[in-house]
Amino acid sequence: MRAHQRGGPEQLVVEEAPVPVPAPGEVLIAVHAAAITLTELTWDLSWQTRDGADRTPVIPSHEVSGVVTAVGQGVTTSRVGDEVYGLVDFDRNGAAAEFVTVPATAVAPKPAKATHVESAALPLAALTAWQALVDHAQVKPGDRVLIHGGAGGVGVYGVQLAALLGAHVIATDLPQNEPFVRALGATEFLDYTTHRFDEELAPVDVVLDAVGGDTLSRSYGVLSPGGRLVTLAAPPDQEKASQHNIHAYFFVVTPDQQELTHLATLVDEGTLRPIVARTVPLSEAPSAFDPKAPRAPGKIVLTVTN
């Protein structure tokens, strides 16, 4: 699935393209499944190199699960035949294809107890949640953690991981998602259509925000002094954070082989559950980006015959 000029789903076409060749340090993966992010077609790096040069035609979808079919010079962590999953950097061609090349350091053995479809739903969203809660917020047992959008792509893993880290988890979302979000590990739930979290919640230690806008603006005041606000939507207002005596972070997820390996272990132990919203065959991949399609919790995964 490629786009030859910048735009939305209307630019995506399913067509033949050359099989990529792994460079030194890379692996070639025969793709079994690839997950999309609905907003990725709006990202500059989906269309440009890091220095701003146009790189069309481009292939979207940056989460992959499949089998290594070739390795580049110097690769020692993967062998032909290995089942792996991982995160493709955003300035590279993605995995909405039969084959994709990825740095060997960006993949890890897939969870043994998960299918390729389930494994593809993990890398971007679960890594984001892990890096937000562990690397940035340094969540510890007993922390009160507020997660905006508990049924969202990142939220479903944020709720599970925060609970696994021993936190008291509070999640916001639509009312119909309350049973699902509580089953993931949320102790408290707020329907954001009828409740204002900043007026009703006792102070929290950590906020994970993937919504931005007004939700982000109201999140500063709900944190205890010294609290940690991690937002994925836009860089936070550091002056406002200073006024509230809190720490505020913004980051973009990066591939991390060690963390991917740890997440796979959690899945195999049964303590982390991959969440798949629905599957779409690669031949119908443009429809996966339809913003009007019904939404369910979790990731949309493209299935590839390989």
Side-chain angles (χ1 to χ4, degrees), residues 29-50:
I29 298 173
V31 180
H32 284 238
I36 70 162
T37 301
L38 286 173
T39 58
E40 67 182 85
L41 298 180
T42 67
W43 304 342
D44 287 340
L45 284 181
S46 292
W47 306 96
Q48 302 171 356
T49 62
R50 292 193 182 271

Side-chain angles (χ1 to χ4, degrees), residues 8-301:
E10 74 284 351
Q11 297 295 341
L12 296 170
V13 292
V14 177
E15 61 185 9
E16 293 290 325
V19 175
V21 177
E26 295 182 347
V27 295
L28 176 67
I29 298 173
V31 180
H32 284 238
I36 70 162
T37 301
L38 286 173
T39 58
E40 67 182 85
L41 298 180
T42 67
W43 304 342
D44 287 340
L45 284 181
S46 292
W47 306 96
Q48 302 171 356
T49 62
R50 292 193 182 271
D51 59 7
D54 178 84
R55 61 179 190 86
T56 53
V58 299
I59 300 172
S61 183
H62 296 276
E63 297 168 277
V64 62
S65 185
V67 177
V68 175
T69 60
V71 298
Q73 182 181 355
V75 173
T76 60
T77 55
S78 294
R79 296 178 299 178
V80 172
D82 285 353
E83 291 190 319
V84 297
Y85 82 125
L87 177 62
V88 184
D89 273 321
F90 303 126
D91 61 342
R92 298 174 62 98
N93 274 331
E98 292 177 315
F99 296 93
V100 63
T101 53
V102 187
T105 54
V107 300
K110 68 174 276 294
K113 294 184 179 179
T115 65
H116 283 292
V117 167
E118 291 169 332
S119 298
L122 289 163
L124 190 154
L127 264 184
T128 298
W130 180 267
Q131 292 174 7
L133 296 172
V134 176
D135 298 344
H136 293 281
Q138 299 179 354
V139 171
K140 58 186 184 298
D143 278 347
R144 287 171 54 81
V145 177
L146 171 61
I147 296 177
H148 293 305
V154 173
V156 295
Y157 298 111
V159 170
Q160 293 184 77
L161 290 172
L164 188 61
L165 292 166
H168 176 98
V169 183
I170 308 150
T172 66
D173 213 283
L174 293 168
Q176 60 266 34
N177 291 327
E178 179 174 359
F180 170 78
V181 173
R182 284 188 179 275
L184 293 178
T187 304
E188 296 183 52
F189 180 92
L190 282 180
D191 169 8
Y192 70 78
T193 66
T194 58
H195 295 268
R196 291 182 64 86
F197 66 88
D198 52 323
E199 296 176 357
E200 301 185 26
L201 283 182
V204 301
D205 301 293
V206 174
V207 173
L208 174 54
D209 165 55
V211 180
D214 180 62
T215 298
L216 172 58
S217 297
R218 293 189 285 121
S219 292
Y220 296 85
V222 78
L223 282 154
S224 303
R228 292 87 74 197
L229 168 62
V230 184
T231 178
L232 312 174
D237 184 335
Q238 293 297 344
E239 183 176 345
K240 192 170 183 179
S242 180
Q243 290 171 355
H244 287 275
N245 191 23
I246 65 168
H247 306 282
Y249 308 98
F250 168 80
F251 77 102
V252 176
V253 64
T254 54
D256 187 298
Q257 188 174 65
Q258 184 176 352
E259 292 179 341
L260 284 166
T261 300
H262 182 66
L263 291 169
T265 299
L266 295 179
V267 172
D268 286 337
E269 291 174 347
T271 53
L272 182 67
R273 172 185 161 198
I275 307 296
V276 177
R278 61 187 174 98
T279 60
V280 178
L282 181 64
S283 60
E284 301 172 17
S287 69
F289 287 91
D290 181 1
K292 298 178 182 178
R295 294 288 302 276
K299 298 288 291 189
I300 298 172
V301 178

